[in-house]
Amino acid sequence: MTDSSHESVPSRRRTRFPGISSRAYEHPADRSALVALRKLAGFDTVFKALSGLLPERSLRLLFLSDSVRVGDTQFAHLNGMLRDACYILDLEKVPAMYVTQDPKPGAMCIGLDEPIIVVTTGLVELLDEEEMRAVVGHEVGHALSGHAVYRTVLLFLTNLAMKVAWIPLGNVAVMAIVTALREWFRKSELSADRAGLLVGQDLKASMRGLMKIAGGNHLHEMNVDAFLEQAEEYEAGGDLRDSVLKILNVLPRSHPFTTVRAAELKKWAESRDYQRILDGHYPRRSEDKDTSVTDSFRESASHYADSVRTSKDPLMKLVGDIAGGAGDLGGKLRDRFAGSNGNGSGSGKGTD
């Protein structure tokens, strides 16, 4: 399972990416954080030192003893997808993969020394072959980016926060770290979605998979365009009160909302960046050591500036107005919280 040989690409012809760096598909916020962490002297050593504290060995033994390890004789079709995903993204060492009994669709990539991929029976039963290929590619993308280490730390700290909940200051300190890690991990999920698309190279399959995760195995009752319209409505709808509620709703989550993921992936699939990767123009792993932290942060800042400028969310529009030096801040806050369009037509109504 952990040898470096790969099976040939399936009959549907797809592009392979020799030596591709995870920087090619990483979301700007994810990439800047990872580049900074990788540049910290001794960071990897510190994390490896945590291996005695983190439950990695326990998790490995748990999956080995109570799940089914994917291989040539067990879940062979998943084994083919796994080896194919590693071939497409040029990941030399194929991670171990397990199927665990759980009716809830899910997948994760964890581990400190070596990543392992776990998928639930609910996910395997829900998705068709091409949809599942995108998910396996998603998890291999996590492995290539080194996300498994931080995901394992996040799991450990989440469990720790529950155990020290009775210690007020201890819980606050741990939850602050957990909240920050969750914010990063949500961005890493957008990166992994892109990796899944690079592996499957079938945007429709990726969209179907996300819709099924949101609404179950009822594709005949769903529509991609209508699903994406939900993301548009979610982003643009309501007033500042709704913007605050969106933030509160997403804080405890490790993944972005499914409609948002679908909209983000479609936007990236239609971008010049995606086409350049398919054409063979992408950063190589051999260049990772020369990556500039400053450039990565600059790209991240530029991305967020663009997001604020183009966002239809009421809070982001207000932030853009403030950044642009817009006057009458008090009036704008009043109008946005009241749901007014700010042109005076709603004056005196709905502002209590």
Side-chain angles (χ1 to χ4, degrees):
M1 248 325 284
T2 56
D3 68 313
S4 60
S5 62
H6 300 290
E7 294 180 352
S8 60
V9 183
S11 58
R12 181 169 63 80
R13 187 172 182 80
R14 285 168 294 137
T15 303
R16 184 175 180 246
F17 309 104
I20 189 171
S21 168
S22 60
R23 291 181 292 117
Y25 58 80
E26 284 165 352
H27 185 279
D30 175 25
R31 187 190 314 132
S32 62
L34 288 177
V35 168
L37 288 173
R38 290 164 184 158
K39 288 287 184 178
L40 284 176
F43 180 80
D44 288 339
T45 303
V46 172
F47 263 81
K48 287 184 183 299
L50 285 172
S51 61
L53 301 174
L54 300 180
E56 183 189 22
R57 288 179 177 273
S58 175
L59 287 172
R60 288 180 182 277
L61 289 172
L62 177 63
F63 290 122
L64 185 64
S65 63
D66 205 32
S67 300
V68 177
R69 184 163 58 190
V70 171
D72 292 332
T73 58
Q74 300 188 118
F75 289 101
H77 72 293
L78 292 181
N79 188 47
M81 290 181 196
L82 175 63
R83 298 169 80 87
D84 170 57
C86 293
Y87 175 81
I88 292 292
L89 294 180
D90 198 18
L91 183 63
E92 182 178 353
K93 196 167 187 179
V94 181
M97 183 175 181
Y98 294 89
V99 176
T100 189
Q101 173 63 31
D102 187 342
K104 185 176 181 180
M108 63 179 176
C109 181
I110 57 173
L112 291 176
D113 295 321
E114 293 183 6
I116 62 173
I117 295 171
V118 181
V119 297
T120 66
T121 51
L123 188 70
V124 174
E125 292 163 5
L126 178 65
L127 304 182
D128 68 23
E129 182 175 356
E130 291 305 305
E131 295 157 7
M132 194 69 198
R133 189 182 304 282
V135 170
V136 173
H138 173 112
E139 298 305 327
V140 170
H142 276 313
L144 181 58
S145 287
H147 291 159
V149 172
Y150 313 115
R151 172 63 165 166
T152 306
V153 172
L154 177 58
L155 285 173
F156 170 72
L157 290 177
T158 302
N159 291 333
L160 179 63
M162 295 175 63
K163 293 177 181 178
V164 300
W166 59 276
I167 308 175
L169 293 180
N171 186 48
V172 168
V174 173
M175 284 309 299
I177 301 173
V178 168
T179 300
L181 274 173
R182 279 178 179 159
E183 169 60 19
W184 160 75
F185 196 77
R186 285 191 290 270
K187 297 300 185 292
S188 78
E189 285 298 299
L190 300 178
S191 299
D193 283 343
R194 296 175 179 183
L197 180 59
L198 288 175
V199 167
Q201 296 171 31
D202 184 347
L203 180 61
K204 291 182 179 179
S206 294
M207 293 290 111
R208 291 198 310 269
L210 288 169
M211 285 197 301
K212 282 185 175 181
I213 290 172
N217 195 12
H218 304 282
L219 277 179
H220 62 289
E221 298 283 357
M222 293 185 276
N223 177 275
V224 173
D225 293 334
F227 190 66
L228 292 172
E229 284 174 8
Q230 290 181 224
E232 181 83 10
E233 182 179 343
Y234 171 79
E235 181 185 2
D239 53 33
L240 280 180
R241 290 167 296 187
D242 296 295
S243 297
V244 173
L245 289 173
K246 291 176 191 176
I247 294 172
L248 294 176
N249 284 340
V250 81
L251 278 178
R253 295 173 60 93
S254 61
H255 289 58
F257 293 116
T258 319
T259 58
V260 174
R261 290 173 63 184
E264 285 278 345
L265 186 60
K266 185 173 186 293
K267 185 190 305 181
W268 188 70
E270 295 171 347
S271 71
R272 185 167 174 266
D273 290 340
Y274 176 63
Q275 189 56 53
R276 282 180 57 81
I277 295 174
L278 291 179
D279 292 339
H281 304 295
Y282 52 81
R284 264 62 175 181
R285 255 166 270 165
S286 58
E287 304 162 353
D288 282 351
K289 63 181 183 300
D290 301 320
T291 305
S292 166
V293 177
T294 303
D295 288 345
S296 297
F297 276 115
R298 187 179 295 116
E299 289 177 20
S300 180
S302 176
H303 167 80
Y304 277 116
D306 289 341
S307 297
V308 170
R309 186 174 62 253
T310 60
S311 176
K312 297 178 182 178
D313 179 83
L315 179 59
M316 290 298 101
K317 291 170 85 172
L318 179 63
V319 170
D321 286 347
I322 295 172
D328 190 20
L329 176 58
K332 286 184 177 293
L333 278 169
R334 181 186 65 247
D335 291 341
R336 299 283 173 87
F337 266 108
S340 168
N341 58 15
N343 61 10
S345 61
S347 178
K349 296 182 180 180
T351 57
D352 294 339

